[in-house]
Amino acid sequence: MDKIQVRIWCDAESLMVKIARSNIAVSDLSASANQWHFLMALLTAIYALAFVDRQVVNILAERIKVDLDLTDWQIGALAGPAFALFYVLAGVPLARLAEHRNRVYLLSGILTIWSGFTALSGLAFSFVHLLVARILVGASEAGCVPCAHSLISDMTPRSKRATALAVFSMGLPLGSLIGLAAGGFIADHFSWRAAFFIVGAPGLIFAALLYATVADPRADNARGLARIDRLPPIDDLGSSQPPTDDLRVPPFRNAMRCLLQTRSFIWMTVAASSLSLAGYGQATFYASFFLRNHAEEISSFATATHLGGSLAFLGLTLGLAIGITGMIGTALGGRLGDKCAAASFKGYLRIPVVATAVGTPLTIAALLVHDAALALMLLASASLLKSMWYGPVFATIQGLVGSRSRATAVSVFLTIMNGIGMGLGPLALGALSDALGAHMGNDAGLRWAMVITTLPVFFSAFCFWRAERLLPDKSIS
């Protein structure tokens, strides 16, 4: 009888070990659907705030340039290297903190910091002052995505992971929409300084809400998991083997070695970096492009629609063209990615291959046509297609690593992508615009600089295709 009781106890403990080591987070067993939806809504809103803070600089670029007497390369530096340098430097350290510490507390803290420095950007009275403020915003925002992706992946079944990460990624186009529309409206009715003050304030409220209402599932179950973690897996009564679970955080060198030996991860990173190089550079100068190349049409549209001045109208229309279609494309990409991956893990990357290849020519056409309305429609179509990669690619990354390396993996990916794209894209495009503008004029110089920097996106489609070919048929986690 005693042997039977011991055997039952061992089987129960073995089952607990398997549950703890499975790909289903402990939080999945207890968290309600309402809690999951609340978490997703809150994290998506926080991610949107991060892009409100980034995009507001872009719609205000011409006003800041005139007020502070800046050049295009300085505008590019504010949107690019100033933000990206410390975003890149802080990304991996913050991700490692997310592997070890309470992710909710960490995210609440960095949200408070970046929102505060966004508001303080409105006090800048020189290029250097604004540069320092943008550096501090970038450094603190670096921890947002690693914390959020790790939380979402822990609380979402693998079969719906691309959809969940795509929903979170909708914060990017949503934030772009709000940042462009609100920034243009506030600048037209008040000043560009007021725009920074106003868009920075909501982040402080959301930081308090996150801290007060959400608990890190890993922290809540830490005591139970630690107890299970100490138990070796039991194969038979009286025999055991050393623990091999992934509940412990692997050393950074081990995580990096694993990533660098995964060729599909490298190809995805190259693809996203090429996309980012063009995307961040062009996003910085979209407003300037339309104000320089379609000024009369934008002014007449603004007058006819009674939406305020040119900047308010342009901010709203650009926000709708990039934001709404971007949200649709992001959500659609996630759903299609999960469906394609149901048969094989490789299926995730079929979506980015096709969408990127088709969307790039539409972007070039939008830059070359001489009708503002047509340019906006083409830009909207391109935005829908080129935003479909987020969910599938991020789900692929989460499936390539263990559960306690997820924040690290996405941080390494974002560090490289943003270091190249955000760090070099706006600065390179601005410098190229200055060089071409000296011979062609500011309007044509910017137009052709944006066309030239779109061309590397064709290479992105090829890189996504190579990554798909190298993926295993099944995910690791």
Side-chain angles (χ1 to χ4, degrees), residues 378-405:
L378 288 168
L379 191 62
S381 302
S383 175
L384 188 149
L385 289 164
K386 291 197 296 181
S387 61
M388 291 177 69
W389 69 271
Y390 298 118
V393 168
F394 286 134
T396 303
I397 293 171
Q398 297 297 304
L400 287 172
V401 296
S403 63
R404 295 303 290 267
S405 296

PDB file of all heavy atoms in Angstrom, residues 378-405:
ATOM      1  N   LEU A 378      -2.056  55.407 -52.393  1.00  0.00           N
ATOM      2  CA  LEU A 378      -1.006  54.419 -52.628  1.00  0.00           C
ATOM      3  C   LEU A 378      -0.205  54.145 -51.365  1.00  0.00           C
ATOM      4  O   LEU A 378       0.162  52.997 -51.070  1.00  0.00           O
ATOM      5  CB  LEU A 378      -0.078  54.913 -53.743  1.00  0.00           C
ATOM      6  CG  LEU A 378      -0.658  54.899 -55.154  1.00  0.00           C
ATOM      7  CD1 LEU A 378       0.243  55.684 -56.106  1.00  0.00           C
ATOM      8  CD2 LEU A 378      -0.823  53.461 -55.651  1.00  0.00           C
ATOM      9  N   LEU A 379       0.039  55.216 -50.605  1.00  0.00           N
ATOM     10  CA  LEU A 379       0.770  55.067 -49.348  1.00  0.00           C
ATOM     11  C   LEU A 379      -0.017  54.213 -48.349  1.00  0.00           C
ATOM     12  O   LEU A 379       0.556  53.378 -47.629  1.00  0.00           O
ATOM     13  CB  LEU A 379       1.047  56.449 -48.754  1.00  0.00           C
ATOM     14  CG  LEU A 379       2.016  56.521 -47.576  1.00  0.00           C
ATOM     15  CD1 LEU A 379       3.391  56.022 -47.987  1.00  0.00           C
ATOM     16  CD2 LEU A 379       2.098  57.954 -47.068  1.00  0.00           C
ATOM     17  N   ALA A 380      -1.331  54.396 -48.332  1.00  0.00           N
ATOM     18  CA  ALA A 380      -2.186  53.598 -47.447  1.00  0.00           C
ATOM     19  C   ALA A 380      -2.135  52.118 -47.833  1.00  0.00           C
ATOM     20  O   ALA A 380      -2.042  51.232 -46.963  1.00  0.00           O
ATOM     21  CB  ALA A 380      -3.620  54.116 -47.498  1.00  0.00           C
ATOM     22  N   SER A 381      -2.188  51.827 -49.124  1.00  0.00           N
ATOM     23  CA  SER A 381      -2.129  50.433 -49.581  1.00  0.00           C
ATOM     24  C   SER A 381      -0.790  49.799 -49.222  1.00  0.00           C
ATOM     25  O   SER A 381      -0.728  48.644 -48.766  1.00  0.00           O
ATOM     26  CB  SER A 381      -2.347  50.367 -51.095  1.00  0.00           C
ATOM     27  OG  SER A 381      -3.593  50.932 -51.455  1.00  0.00           O
ATOM     28  N   ALA A 382       0.278  50.541 -49.427  1.00  0.00           N
ATOM     29  CA  ALA A 382       1.608  50.028 -49.089  1.00  0.00           C
ATOM     30  C   ALA A 382       1.738  49.791 -47.585  1.00  0.00           C
ATOM     31  O   ALA A 382       2.333  48.800 -47.145  1.00  0.00           O
ATOM     32  CB  ALA A 382       2.679  51.010 -49.567  1.00  0.00           C
ATOM     33  N   SER A 383       1.176  50.693 -46.788  1.00  0.00           N
ATOM     34  CA  SER A 383       1.241  50.565 -45.333  1.00  0.00           C
ATOM     35  C   SER A 383       0.541  49.298 -44.865  1.00  0.00           C
ATOM     36  O   SER A 383       1.033  48.595 -43.969  1.00  0.00           O
ATOM     37  CB  SER A 383       0.613  51.799 -44.670  1.00  0.00           C
ATOM     38  OG  SER A 383       0.555  51.651 -43.270  1.00  0.00           O
ATOM     39  N   LEU A 384      -0.614  48.986 -45.459  1.00  0.00           N
ATOM     40  CA  LEU A 384      -1.341  47.773 -45.079  1.00  0.00           C
ATOM     41  C   LEU A 384      -0.481  46.533 -45.325  1.00  0.00           C
ATOM     42  O   LEU A 384      -0.374  45.651 -44.456  1.00  0.00           O
ATOM     43  CB  LEU A 384      -2.639  47.684 -45.877  1.00  0.00           C
ATOM     44  CG  LEU A 384      -3.621  46.567 -45.483  1.00  0.00           C
ATOM     45  CD1 LEU A 384      -5.059  46.996 -45.745  1.00  0.00           C
ATOM     46  CD2 LEU A 384      -3.325  45.271 -46.255  1.00  0.00           C
ATOM     47  N   LEU A 385       0.136  46.456 -46.478  1.00  0.00           N
ATOM     48  CA  LEU A 385       0.924  45.274 -46.827  1.00  0.00           C
ATOM     49  C   LEU A 385       2.207  45.180 -46.007  1.00  0.00           C
ATOM     50  O   LEU A 385       2.564  44.094 -45.518  1.00  0.00           O
ATOM     51  CB  LEU A 385       1.247  45.292 -48.320  1.00  0.00           C
ATOM     52  CG  LEU A 385       0.066  45.025 -49.260  1.00  0.00           C
ATOM     53  CD1 LEU A 385       0.401  45.445 -50.683  1.00  0.00           C
ATOM     54  CD2 LEU A 385      -0.318  43.542 -49.216  1.00  0.00           C
ATOM     55  N   LYS A 386       2.893  46.302 -45.847  1.00  0.00           N
ATOM     56  CA  LYS A 386       4.198  46.256 -45.187  1.00  0.00           C
ATOM     57  C   LYS A 386       4.116  46.151 -43.666  1.00  0.00           C
ATOM     58  O   LYS A 386       5.142  46.002 -43.000  1.00  0.00           O
ATOM     59  CB  LYS A 386       5.027  47.483 -45.598  1.00  0.00           C
ATOM     60  CG  LYS A 386       5.455  47.433 -47.062  1.00  0.00           C
ATOM     61  CD  LYS A 386       6.591  48.387 -47.365  1.00  0.00           C
ATOM     62  CE  LYS A 386       6.200  49.831 -47.172  1.00  0.00           C
ATOM     63  NZ  LYS A 386       7.306  50.759 -47.489  1.00  0.00           N
ATOM     64  N   SER A 387       2.898  46.193 -43.127  1.00  0.00           N
ATOM     65  CA  SER A 387       2.744  45.998 -41.678  1.00  0.00           C
ATOM     66  C   SER A 387       2.332  44.562 -41.343  1.00  0.00           C
ATOM     67  O   SER A 387       2.166  44.236 -40.165  1.00  0.00           O
ATOM     68  CB  SER A 387       1.699  46.971 -41.128  1.00  0.00           C
ATOM     69  OG  SER A 387       0.444  46.756 -41.733  1.00  0.00           O
ATOM     70  N   MET A 388       2.203  43.710 -42.326  1.00  0.00           N
ATOM     71  CA  MET A 388       1.734  42.342 -42.083  1.00  0.00           C
ATOM     72  C   MET A 388       2.818  41.422 -41.529  1.00  0.00           C
ATOM     73  O   MET A 388       2.535  40.290 -41.126  1.00  0.00           O
ATOM     74  CB  MET A 388       1.160  41.748 -43.383  1.00  0.00           C
ATOM     75  CG  MET A 388      -0.135  42.407 -43.829  1.00  0.00           C
ATOM     76  SD  MET A 388      -0.768  41.783 -45.413  1.00  0.00           S
ATOM     77  CE  MET A 388      -1.265  40.133 -44.948  1.00  0.00           C
ATOM     78  N   TRP A 389       4.054  41.882 -41.453  1.00  0.00           N
ATOM     79  CA  TRP A 389       5.131  41.005 -41.019  1.00  0.00           C
ATOM     80  C   TRP A 389       5.266  40.909 -39.503  1.00  0.00           C
ATOM     81  O   TRP A 389       5.844  39.941 -38.983  1.00  0.00           O
ATOM     82  CB  TRP A 389       6.472  41.452 -41.616  1.00  0.00           C
ATOM     83  CG  TRP A 389       7.026  42.747 -41.094  1.00  0.00           C
ATOM     84  CD1 TRP A 389       6.798  43.994 -41.576  1.00  0.00           C
ATOM     85  CD2 TRP A 389       7.928  42.909 -39.987  1.00  0.00           C
ATOM     86  NE1 TRP A 389       7.491  44.940 -40.850  1.00  0.00           N
ATOM     87  CE2 TRP A 389       8.192  44.289 -39.875  1.00  0.00           C
ATOM     88  CE3 TRP A 389       8.536  42.041 -39.096  1.00  0.00           C
ATOM     89  CZ2 TRP A 389       9.045  44.819 -38.892  1.00  0.00           C
ATOM     90  CZ3 TRP A 389       9.384  42.551 -38.120  1.00  0.00           C
ATOM     91  CH2 TRP A 389       9.626  43.928 -38.025  1.00  0.00           C
ATOM     92  N   TYR A 390       4.735  41.865 -38.762  1.00  0.00           N
ATOM     93  CA  TYR A 390       5.021  41.931 -37.325  1.00  0.00           C
ATOM     94  C   TYR A 390       4.641  40.654 -36.584  1.00  0.00           C
ATOM     95  O   TYR A 390       5.486  40.019 -35.930  1.00  0.00           O
ATOM     96  CB  TYR A 390       4.286  43.115 -36.689  1.00  0.00           C
ATOM     97  CG  TYR A 390       4.698  44.460 -37.221  1.00  0.00           C
ATOM     98  CD1 TYR A 390       3.789  45.286 -37.876  1.00  0.00           C
ATOM     99  CD2 TYR A 390       6.001  44.921 -37.070  1.00  0.00           C
ATOM    100  CE1 TYR A 390       4.154  46.527 -38.363  1.00  0.00           C
ATOM    101  CE2 TYR A 390       6.389  46.156 -37.558  1.00  0.00           C
ATOM    102  CZ  TYR A 390       5.456  46.963 -38.208  1.00  0.00           C
ATOM    103  OH  TYR A 390       5.828  48.183 -38.690  1.00  0.00           O
ATOM    104  N   GLY A 391       3.358  40.283 -36.621  1.00  0.00           N
ATOM    105  CA  GLY A 391       2.903  39.116 -35.879  1.00  0.00           C
ATOM    106  C   GLY A 391       3.624  37.836 -36.269  1.00  0.00           C
ATOM    107  O   GLY A 391       4.143  37.110 -35.401  1.00  0.00           O
ATOM    108  N   PRO A 392       3.679  37.491 -37.560  1.00  0.00           N
ATOM    109  CA  PRO A 392       4.367  36.254 -37.951  1.00  0.00           C
ATOM    110  C   PRO A 392       5.840  36.208 -37.572  1.00  0.00           C
ATOM    111  O   PRO A 392       6.325  35.183 -37.096  1.00  0.00           O
ATOM    112  CB  PRO A 392       4.197  36.249 -39.481  1.00  0.00           C
ATOM    113  CG  PRO A 392       2.940  37.013 -39.724  1.00  0.00           C
ATOM    114  CD  PRO A 392       2.946  38.096 -38.690  1.00  0.00           C
ATOM    115  N   VAL A 393       6.561  37.308 -37.759  1.00  0.00           N
ATOM    116  CA  VAL A 393       7.992  37.294 -37.447  1.00  0.00           C
ATOM    117  C   VAL A 393       8.221  37.200 -35.939  1.00  0.00           C
ATOM    118  O   VAL A 393       9.056  36.412 -35.465  1.00  0.00           O
ATOM    119  CB  VAL A 393       8.686  38.540 -38.033  1.00  0.00           C
ATOM    120  CG1 VAL A 393      10.105  38.686 -37.480  1.00  0.00           C
ATOM    121  CG2 VAL A 393       8.733  38.439 -39.551  1.00  0.00           C
ATOM    122  N   PHE A 394       7.486  37.976 -35.153  1.00  0.00           N
ATOM    123  CA  PHE A 394       7.676  37.932 -33.705  1.00  0.00           C
ATOM    124  C   PHE A 394       7.257  36.570 -33.142  1.00  0.00           C
ATOM    125  O   PHE A 394       7.883  36.062 -32.205  1.00  0.00           O
ATOM    126  CB  PHE A 394       6.911  39.057 -33.028  1.00  0.00           C
ATOM    127  CG  PHE A 394       7.538  40.410 -33.219  1.00  0.00           C
ATOM    128  CD1 PHE A 394       6.775  41.511 -33.574  1.00  0.00           C
ATOM    129  CD2 PHE A 394       8.897  40.585 -33.043  1.00  0.00           C
ATOM    130  CE1 PHE A 394       7.351  42.760 -33.748  1.00  0.00           C
ATOM    131  CE2 PHE A 394       9.491  41.827 -33.215  1.00  0.00           C
ATOM    132  CZ  PHE A 394       8.716  42.918 -33.569  1.00  0.00           C
ATOM    133  N   ALA A 395       6.213  35.971 -33.684  1.00  0.00           N
ATOM    134  CA  ALA A 395       5.814  34.634 -33.240  1.00  0.00           C
ATOM    135  C   ALA A 395       6.889  33.609 -33.595  1.00  0.00           C
ATOM    136  O   ALA A 395       7.149  32.674 -32.825  1.00  0.00           O
ATOM    137  CB  ALA A 395       4.484  34.241 -33.869  1.00  0.00           C
ATOM    138  N   THR A 396       7.514  33.765 -34.742  1.00  0.00           N
ATOM    139  CA  THR A 396       8.600  32.869 -35.136  1.00  0.00           C
ATOM    140  C   THR A 396       9.759  32.962 -34.155  1.00  0.00           C
ATOM    141  O   THR A 396      10.313  31.948 -33.718  1.00  0.00           O
ATOM    142  CB  THR A 396       9.091  33.207 -36.554  1.00  0.00           C
ATOM    143  OG1 THR A 396       7.992  33.139 -37.466  1.00  0.00           O
ATOM    144  CG2 THR A 396      10.177  32.239 -36.999  1.00  0.00           C
ATOM    145  N   ILE A 397      10.125  34.182 -33.792  1.00  0.00           N
ATOM    146  CA  ILE A 397      11.228  34.373 -32.842  1.00  0.00           C
ATOM    147  C   ILE A 397      10.901  33.729 -31.499  1.00  0.00           C
ATOM    148  O   ILE A 397      11.738  33.049 -30.893  1.00  0.00           O
ATOM    149  CB  ILE A 397      11.520  35.875 -32.670  1.00  0.00           C
ATOM    150  CG1 ILE A 397      12.089  36.456 -33.966  1.00  0.00           C
ATOM    151  CG2 ILE A 397      12.508  36.106 -31.517  1.00  0.00           C
ATOM    152  CD1 ILE A 397      12.202  37.959 -33.968  1.00  0.00           C
ATOM    153  N   GLN A 398       9.667  33.933 -31.013  1.00  0.00           N
ATOM    154  CA  GLN A 398       9.286  33.353 -29.734  1.00  0.00           C
ATOM    155  C   GLN A 398       9.282  31.825 -29.784  1.00  0.00           C
ATOM    156  O   GLN A 398       9.499  31.166 -28.766  1.00  0.00           O
ATOM    157  CB  GLN A 398       7.901  33.852 -29.324  1.00  0.00           C
ATOM    158  CG  GLN A 398       7.811  35.352 -29.094  1.00  0.00           C
ATOM    159  CD  GLN A 398       8.700  35.834 -27.950  1.00  0.00           C
ATOM    160  OE1 GLN A 398       8.607  35.360 -26.829  1.00  0.00           O
ATOM    161  NE2 GLN A 398       9.571  36.779 -28.258  1.00  0.00           N
ATOM    162  N   GLY A 399       9.045  31.257 -30.947  1.00  0.00           N
ATOM    163  CA  GLY A 399       9.044  29.811 -31.088  1.00  0.00           C
ATOM    164  C   GLY A 399      10.418  29.198 -31.267  1.00  0.00           C
ATOM    165  O   GLY A 399      10.571  27.984 -31.203  1.00  0.00           O
ATOM    166  N   LEU A 400      11.430  30.019 -31.497  1.00  0.00           N
ATOM    167  CA  LEU A 400      12.785  29.524 -31.713  1.00  0.00           C
ATOM    168  C   LEU A 400      13.586  29.379 -30.427  1.00  0.00           C
ATOM    169  O   LEU A 400      14.682  28.813 -30.448  1.00  0.00           O
ATOM    170  CB  LEU A 400      13.548  30.446 -32.680  1.00  0.00           C
ATOM    171  CG  LEU A 400      13.150  30.384 -34.157  1.00  0.00           C
ATOM    172  CD1 LEU A 400      13.853  31.479 -34.943  1.00  0.00           C
ATOM    173  CD2 LEU A 400      13.470  29.012 -34.743  1.00  0.00           C
ATOM    174  N   VAL A 401      13.072  29.920 -29.302  1.00  0.00           N
ATOM    175  CA  VAL A 401      13.833  29.922 -28.047  1.00  0.00           C
ATOM    176  C   VAL A 401      12.964  29.401 -26.909  1.00  0.00           C
ATOM    177  O   VAL A 401      11.737  29.312 -27.024  1.00  0.00           O
ATOM    178  CB  VAL A 401      14.338  31.343 -27.701  1.00  0.00           C
ATOM    179  CG1 VAL A 401      15.313  31.837 -28.748  1.00  0.00           C
ATOM    180  CG2 VAL A 401      13.171  32.315 -27.555  1.00  0.00           C
ATOM    181  N   GLY A 402      13.602  29.081 -25.785  1.00  0.00           N
ATOM    182  CA  GLY A 402      12.890  28.663 -24.593  1.00  0.00           C
ATOM    183  C   GLY A 402      12.186  29.822 -23.919  1.00  0.00           C
ATOM    184  O   GLY A 402      12.446  30.993 -24.211  1.00  0.00           O
ATOM    185  N   SER A 403      11.295  29.501 -22.970  1.00  0.00           N
ATOM    186  CA  SER A 403      10.443  30.527 -22.372  1.00  0.00           C
ATOM    187  C   SER A 403      11.217  31.570 -21.582  1.00  0.00           C
ATOM    188  O   SER A 403      10.768  32.698 -21.453  1.00  0.00           O
ATOM    189  CB  SER A 403       9.391  29.876 -21.466  1.00  0.00           C
ATOM    190  OG  SER A 403      10.009  29.207 -20.387  1.00  0.00           O
ATOM    191  N   ARG A 404      12.385  31.209 -21.033  1.00  0.00           N
ATOM    192  CA  ARG A 404      13.148  32.183 -20.257  1.00  0.00           C
ATOM    193  C   ARG A 404      14.226  32.874 -21.087  1.00  0.00           C
ATOM    194  O   ARG A 404      15.119  33.515 -20.540  1.00  0.00           O
ATOM    195  CB  ARG A 404      13.779  31.508 -19.019  1.00  0.00           C
ATOM    196  CG  ARG A 404      12.761  30.990 -18.016  1.00  0.00           C
ATOM    197  CD  ARG A 404      11.803  32.066 -17.508  1.00  0.00           C
ATOM    198  NE  ARG A 404      12.443  33.035 -16.649  1.00  0.00           N
ATOM    199  CZ  ARG A 404      12.478  32.941 -15.318  1.00  0.00           C
ATOM    200  NH1 ARG A 404      11.904  31.924 -14.705  1.00  0.00           N
ATOM    201  NH2 ARG A 404      13.065  33.871 -14.597  1.00  0.00           N
ATOM    202  N   SER A 405      14.128  32.753 -22.397  1.00  0.00           N
ATOM    203  CA  SER A 405      15.018  33.503 -23.304  1.00  0.00           C
ATOM    204  C   SER A 405      14.230  34.385 -24.251  1.00  0.00           C
ATOM    205  O   SER A 405      14.801  34.981 -25.162  1.00  0.00           O
ATOM    206  CB  SER A 405      15.884  32.534 -24.123  1.00  0.00           C
ATOM    207  OG  SER A 405      16.741  31.798 -23.299  1.00  0.00           O
TER     208      SER A 405
END
